[in-house]
Amino acid sequence: MGSLPVQDRKANVLVIGSGGVGTMAAYALEKGGKAEVTAVLRSNFEAVEESGFDIKSIDHGPDPILGWRPTYIRNTIPNVEKEARCSGGVSQPYDFIVVTTKNLADIPPSVASLIAPAVTPGRTSIALLQNGLNIEQPIIKAFPHSPVISGVPYIGAIENPPGTITHVNHDKLVISPFYNENISRERSENAAKELQQAYGLCTSVTCVYESRVEEARWRKLLYNASYNTTAAILGMDTSRMRASEFIIDDLVRPAMKEIQATAHAVSGVNLSDDMIEAIIRADNYKAFFRPSMLQDMVKGKFIELENILGEPLREAERAGVYTPTLKVIYSLLKGLQFKTKESKGLVKVPASGEGLKYGKKWGE
Ligand SMILES: CC(C)(CO)C(=O)C(=O)O
C-alpha cells in the first residue's frame, strides 16, 4: 500500500483521539473514500471493538448509524518501526496523523511525545485538529521535516456513553498549512490540500482550505478565549450567558475585543466588530450549548488553558496590547486547573506551609 503515490491509492491515516471530534473526522475521511483510517481508541476501545460506534449525526442522514467501525481500531499508538520489524520489515508508514486529542500544554505527555512512535520522518504529515494558538511550535521542533497542518474544527459532537456519539452542530473544518522554514511552502501547502480534499470528498460535511492559517486560528479564538473560558468559570451554557446580558457586555465582548486587538497587533489579522457580534450570537440559542471547556471542567478533566489563553496573552504582552479582561479570566482558570492538578495528584499542597512563599505570616 505504501509504495503507490498517494493520489493513486487511499491515504493511510491514523486518527488519534477518538471522542466526538475524532470519530466524526474518522467517519468523514472513510466516507469520502480516499482514506483508510486506523483509529486509536482508549477508554472506548472495548465498547467499539464489541459493537462499533453508534452515531446520531446532524450531517449524515436522519437514521442513526449503528455499529460503525473505521478500517482498523487499536488501543495503543503504533510504533511503526517496531511493528515493521515484527512483520518482516514491511513498513506501513502513515501518510497523515490526525490529532484530535485535547492540547494540554501544561500537562504531560506532550502531543509530540505521544505521536512520536507513529511518525515516519519525511513521510508523515501531522494534522492538528485542535483549538488554540502556537500549537504547531513543539511539533515542528520535534519533527522538523514533516509538514504540519492546521485544522480548525467547528463541530459539536459528544461521546456518551463510550462508543455512542451525538453530533449536534454541523461539521465545518478549516484546513491550512502551518509553514515551517525547514521545508518548502509548496510541500506544506500540498500536504494541507491533500488532506482537505480527502475530507471534503465527504459531501455531507464542509471542509475548506485557507492559506492564511493565522486568520483561521485567531477567528476561532474569538469564541474559545471568551465563551469557553467564561462558561467554564461560571458553569453556564452560552444561552444562559446571553440571557443574563451583563455576562456578554462585561466579560464576553470585552474578551473578544482584546483578542481582536491582539490578532491585529501580532499577525495583522482584521477581525471586524460585525464578526464579534455574529460570534456572540453564533450558537443556536435553543441548544443551551456547553462549550468543550465547560464540559471538561464538569467532568473533572484538565482544560486547554495555555493554548486558548496563555499563548494569546503572551503574544499580547510582547506586542504591548492591554488585555485586562483576559488576564483576570486566565488567573481564575489557572486556579481551577491547579485544583484539578491537586485532585489528580500532580501537585501536592504541603499541610505545614513550609517552603511556600505565602505559607507563613507576614514578618515571620
Ligand atoms: C466552537 C466550539 C463550540 C465547537 O467546535 C468549540 O470549539 C468548543 O466547544 O471547544
Side-chain angles (χ1 to χ4, degrees):
M1 171 212 264
S3 51
L4 286 171
V6 75
Q7 58 272 23
D8 299 333
R9 60 177 170 83
K10 287 188 179 185
N12 192 19
V13 181
L14 182 72
V15 175
I16 300 181
S18 202
V21 179
T23 305
M24 296 322 299
Y27 187 80
L29 283 163
E30 292 257 3
K31 194 171 164 194
K34 279 293 281 176
E36 190 166 270
V37 172
T38 301
V40 180
L41 314 182
R42 288 282 159 101
S43 53
N44 55 2
F45 179 77
E46 276 175 21
V48 177
E49 191 181 39
E50 199 175 306
S51 27
F53 283 105
D54 289 344
I55 303 171
K56 206 160 172 252
S57 166
I58 186 171
D59 285 338
H60 299 290
D63 298 326
I65 302 150
L66 300 176
W68 178 79
R69 287 182 184 82
T71 303
Y72 303 106
I73 59 165
R74 49 184 299 150
N75 57 2
T76 54
I77 304 279
N79 183 321
V80 277
E81 247 184 58
K82 220 164 151 189
E83 291 180 16
R85 263 182 270 132
C86 296
S87 57
V90 187
S91 171
Q92 292 273 305
Y94 290 100
D95 299 300
F96 295 96
I97 295 179
V98 175
V99 188
T100 67
T101 56
K102 297 273 164 208
N103 198 318
L104 302 169
D106 54 335
I107 313 288
S110 66
V111 172
S113 65
L114 185 78
I115 67 173
V119 176
T120 304
R123 165 69 183 270
T124 308
S125 300
I126 301 158
L128 304 175
L129 271 58
Q130 296 174 316
N131 288 324
L133 204 64
N134 297 338
I135 56 173
E136 75 285 12
Q137 290 176 0
I139 307 298
I140 292 175
K141 197 164 166 222
F143 312 104
H145 301 293
S146 297
V148 183
I149 300 167
S150 159
V152 177
Y154 292 83
I155 181 170
I158 293 171
E159 184 183 37
N160 188 22
T164 301
I165 308 287
T166 311
H167 172 200
V168 288
N169 284 344
H170 292 291
D171 183 0
K172 180 179 173 209
L173 180 63
V174 182
I175 289 196
S176 315
F178 277 125
Y179 293 106
N180 161 3
E181 61 186 23
N182 306 298
I183 59 179
S184 70
R185 286 178 76 84
E186 197 190 356
R187 186 150 171 244
S188 298
E189 284 165 3
N190 287 345
K193 283 180 188 162
E194 244 170 51
L195 184 65
Q196 181 266 325
Q197 277 156 17
Y199 205 107
L201 279 170
C202 175
T203 50
S204 40
V205 302
T206 307
C207 182
V208 294
Y209 175 86
E210 283 185 17
S211 56
R212 289 214 64 201
V213 63
E214 301 85 1
E215 182 157 342
R217 298 210 79 83
W218 282 109
R219 200 167 57 223
K220 180 80 189 286
L221 270 175
L222 279 181
Y223 185 100
N224 291 138
S226 60
Y227 263 131
N228 283 52
T229 54
T230 355
I233 293 167
L234 295 170
M236 267 170 115
D237 60 67
T238 60
S239 304
R240 287 189 168 80
M241 290 161 82
R242 283 158 65 181
S244 77
E245 296 183 17
F246 65 86
I247 296 173
I248 303 298
D249 292 336
D250 299 349
L251 281 170
V252 172
R253 188 182 292 102
M256 288 189 182
K257 299 285 286 180
E258 291 172 17
I259 291 290
Q260 176 191 46
T262 309
H264 187 258
V266 171
S267 308
V269 167
N270 290 318
L271 305 169
S272 68
D273 287 345
D274 280 354
M275 189 184 281
I276 289 181
E277 294 310 316
I279 292 176
I280 287 174
R281 297 158 178 84
D283 291 338
N284 171 1
Y285 182 87
K286 292 183 191 141
F288 294 88
F289 186 71
R290 294 156 77 86
S292 59
M293 198 181 273
L294 168 58
Q295 292 178 42
D296 289 338
M297 188 69 81
V298 169
K299 290 183 196 149
K301 291 183 173 176
F302 292 118
I303 51 170
E304 292 180 292
L305 170 65
E306 291 307 328
N307 295 115
I308 284 181
L309 262 191
E311 283 302 302
L313 272 173
R314 287 184 274 278
E315 294 284 356
E317 201 147 304
R318 279 193 280 274
V321 180
Y322 184 54
T323 52
T325 315
L326 291 176
K327 268 192 188 148
V328 171
I329 295 176
Y330 180 55
S331 301
L332 291 170
L333 286 174
K334 275 212 314 202
L336 292 170
Q337 188 89 317
F338 184 89
K339 281 172 65 182
T340 309
K341 284 184 187 171
E342 189 189 0
S343 73
K344 292 182 185 290
L346 260 67
V347 292
K348 193 142 180 47
V349 177
S352 68
E354 199 53 46
L356 293 182
K357 183 174 172 191
Y358 298 112
K360 285 186 184 166
K361 285 211 160 80
W362 176 246
E364 261 184 341

